[in-house]
Amino acid sequence: MRSVSGVLNRTVLVICGLIIAAASSWLLASGLSAGHSWPDAAPYMATAQDRVDSIIAPQAHWLLPTVALVSVLAVIFGLVLLAMQVPRKAAASPLRLSDSEGVLLATIAPDVLSQALSERIQDVPGVKRCTVWVTGSPSSLWVQAETTMSQDCEVEWAVAELRSRLEDDVTTSLGTSPRQVDVLVRLERSSSSRRFSQTVTGQHSPQITGNGDDA
Amino acid sequence: MRAPVPKLIRRPSRSAPSVVLALLLLAVGGLGAWLTGHRIVTGTWPDRTLTTLDAIGSTTLGSAAVLTAAGIAAACGLAMILAALWPGLPERVEILPDGVPGQTAVRRRDLAKLVRTQVEQIGGIHSVAVTTRRSRVDVIVLSVLDNLDPVHEAARKKTDEVLQTLQPVGITRSRVRIRRTS
């Protein structure tokens, strides 16, 4: 199953948020002359009357190359951060089947097993689409399925059926039951019956003119 | 690059603020690289930016413009820290626990859709709006009938039935309200 790393995102947000908040707090404190009411901090702050260029000018010799370097790093980091938002697949290694003496019998690509399981699940009534990912080893397989189901189907029955089918199929094909079977259920976005009912309730009922004996 | 196996039920990944931050870094970094690169290579600032840079340079720290910009930046920084530290409500809920190891999850929106589909089947109901909260399902039923009590009771019963069937983990209560619509 594809996912985005929340831990990485949150770490980056905290670090950048702290840097931005600290820099802007210094500007605010300097601009509001906080040094007057807090003399201990006054040496580390500028005064409200200082011009921006008068603060930058004494440090221009090292500030310019530093800002250039930081800008390039910011662009690179921004691109990496954007790329990190693309959901990534979980790591999956080839499944190696061995006999009781440890001799390698066969190697199965995880995609082959995933595809076979997906096709089996799509036969379950009510399941419109299904994608399966497998990861781990044959003796400890982790199966994750993302299924799209019809809104009108018996979801509880369909889920029970597809979970037991996934477990049985893995047990039959690999000889051991899977370590974990995770199923993410999504409902089909549009439903023709709902649109139909909305159309009917949204209109006035047809007017009856005359009496039924005219016909 | 491959990621570790993700859990089905997880806290929000904060992709939206991260995308905003990435775009901000690209914009600010690109502008900074262009300005400083031009200055280092040619020895002068780009012609088009001279007026703006002069205006910024002559601004005092106590001016309203600097204070406003610093205030906005501080608010953005605090918002980013809050977004990162606030755990947030998981987008998915575990449902239908069974004997097979592992879990079944559904998005909160889809859980609301499942409840709505069931409640809509009660006679006398015009429309249903369902919202899933942290530990409760809120159902608002609109009916055209004069006597709302039987419909209200039926909707409440049906909602509880659906919750008992799906067994969403952490969501045990429901609140059903009914309104008359013309």
Side-chain angles (χ1 to χ4, degrees), chain A residues 1-4 6 9-10 12-14 16-18 20-21 24 27-28 30-32 46-53 55 64 67-68 71-72 74-75 77-79 81-82 85 88-92 135 142 144 151-152 155-156 159 163 167 178-189 194 201, chain B residues 1-6 8 10-15 17-19 21-26 29-30 32-33 36 39-40 45 56-62 66-67 70-71 73-74 77-78 80-81 83-87 92 96 98 100-107 110 113-114 116-117 120 126 165-166:
Chain A
M1 194 168 286
R2 291 176 176 273
S3 67
V4 175
N9 278 353
R10 285 168 186 264
V12 169
L13 280 171
V14 158
C16 292
L18 280 175
I20 293 173
S24 49
L27 259 183
L28 270 179
S30 300
L32 295 172
T47 61
Q49 289 75 38
D50 283 345
R51 284 164 46 132
V52 174
D53 51 5
I55 299 169
L64 190 67
V67 171
S71 300
V72 172
V75 171
F77 189 66
L79 288 173
L81 191 58
L82 263 188
Q85 306 315 311
R88 287 176 290 151
K89 278 170 79 172
T135 184
W142 191 335
Q144 289 196 318
Q151 277 190 53
D152 306 323
V155 173
E156 61 278 13
V159 166
R163 281 177 67 83
E167 189 188 28
R179 176 161 61 103
Q180 194 156 338
V181 178
D182 289 339
V183 177
L184 175 63
V185 178
R186 289 179 186 277
L187 291 184
E188 205 176 23
R189 194 161 285 178
R194 166 127 182 99
T201 53
Chain B
M1 200 159 68
R2 295 296 179 99
V5 182
L8 280 188
R10 51 177 186 263
R11 301 283 178 190
S13 59
R14 300 293 186 224
S15 280
S18 299
V19 166
L21 175 63
L23 294 176
L24 195 73
L25 283 172
L26 283 175
T36 51
R39 171 81 187 196
I40 289 170
W45 297 110
I56 294 172
S58 59
T59 313
T60 56
L61 292 188
V66 170
L67 290 178
L78 288 177
M80 282 161 63
I81 295 169
L85 298 182
W86 190 259
R92 299 169 187 161
L96 298 166
D98 58 10
V100 180
Q103 53 189 185
T104 304
V106 68
R107 288 187 306 171
D110 285 342
K113 244 190 248 181
L114 283 171
R116 193 189 67 197
T117 309
E120 273 178 343
H126 177 267
T165 308
L166 297 175

Side-chain angles (χ1 to χ4, degrees), chain B residues 77-146:
Chain B
L78 288 177
M80 282 161 63
I81 295 169
L82 268 182
L85 298 182
W86 190 259
L89 198 60
E91 190 202 7
R92 299 169 187 161
V93 186
E94 184 182 355
I95 56 165
L96 298 166
D98 58 10
V100 180
Q103 53 189 185
T104 304
V106 68
R107 288 187 306 171
R108 283 176 186 273
R109 204 184 311 159
D110 285 342
L111 178 64
K113 244 190 248 181
L114 283 171
V115 175
R116 193 189 67 197
T117 309
Q118 294 293 316
V119 177
E120 273 178 343
Q121 291 172 8
I122 299 169
I125 285 182
H126 177 267
S127 62
V128 181
V130 183
T131 320
T132 45
R133 309 271 176 209
R134 186 178 291 273
S135 61
R136 193 184 68 201
V137 172
D138 281 354
V139 181
I140 297 175
V141 176
L142 294 181
S143 174
V144 289
L145 299 183
D146 293 331

Side-chain angles (χ1 to χ4, degrees), chain A:
Chain A
M1 194 168 286
R2 291 176 176 273
S3 67
V4 175
S5 172
V7 178
L8 275 175
N9 278 353
R10 285 168 186 264
T11 311
V12 169
L13 280 171
V14 158
I15 293 171
C16 292
L18 280 175
I19 294 171
I20 293 173
S24 49
S25 301
W26 181 85
L27 259 183
L28 270 179
S30 300
L32 295 172
S33 303
H36 293 309
S37 49
W38 190 17
D40 290 347
Y44 306 105
M45 287 184 200
T47 61
Q49 289 75 38
D50 283 345
R51 284 164 46 132
V52 174
D53 51 5
S54 69
I55 299 169
I56 293 174
Q59 277 86 28
H61 58 285
W62 64 269
L63 203 56
L64 190 67
T66 308
V67 171
L69 184 67
V70 169
S71 300
V72 172
L73 289 177
V75 171
I76 295 169
F77 189 66
L79 288 173
V80 172
L81 191 58
L82 263 188
M84 272 166 50
Q85 306 315 311
V86 179
R88 287 176 290 151
K89 278 170 79 172
S93 54
L95 302 169
R96 301 186 200 288
L97 302 174
S98 333
D99 64 6
S100 55
E101 294 169 2
V103 179
L104 182 67
L105 295 177
T107 304
I108 307 172
D111 291 345
V112 174
L113 190 58
S114 302
Q115 183 64 32
L117 290 172
S118 301
E119 286 173 8
R120 283 273 295 156
I121 296 305
Q122 278 168 3
D123 293 341
V124 176
V127 174
K128 296 289 182 186
R129 282 180 299 279
C130 179
T131 315
V132 178
W133 290 268
V134 295
T135 184
S137 64
S139 58
S140 171
L141 199 70
W142 191 335
V143 183
Q144 289 196 318
E146 188 175 331
T147 59
T148 305
M149 291 188 181
S150 163
Q151 277 190 53
D152 306 323
C153 79
E154 291 288 329
V155 173
E156 61 278 13
W157 179 86
V159 166
E161 173 66 20
L162 73 88
R163 281 177 67 83
S164 65
R165 196 176 279 202
L166 279 172
E167 189 188 28
D168 292 347
D169 287 356
V170 171
T171 309
T172 308
S173 55
L174 300 179
T176 49
S177 54
R179 176 161 61 103
Q180 194 156 338
V181 178
D182 289 339
V183 177
L184 175 63
V185 178
R186 289 179 186 277
L187 291 184
E188 205 176 23
R189 194 161 285 178
S190 61
S191 165
S192 56
S193 63
R194 166 127 182 99
R195 278 205 302 271
F196 177 71
S197 68
Q198 279 182 338
T199 309
V200 170
T201 53
Q203 290 177 344
H204 294 292
S205 54
Q207 288 182 342
I208 299 170
T209 51
N211 55 32
D213 299 336
D214 293 345

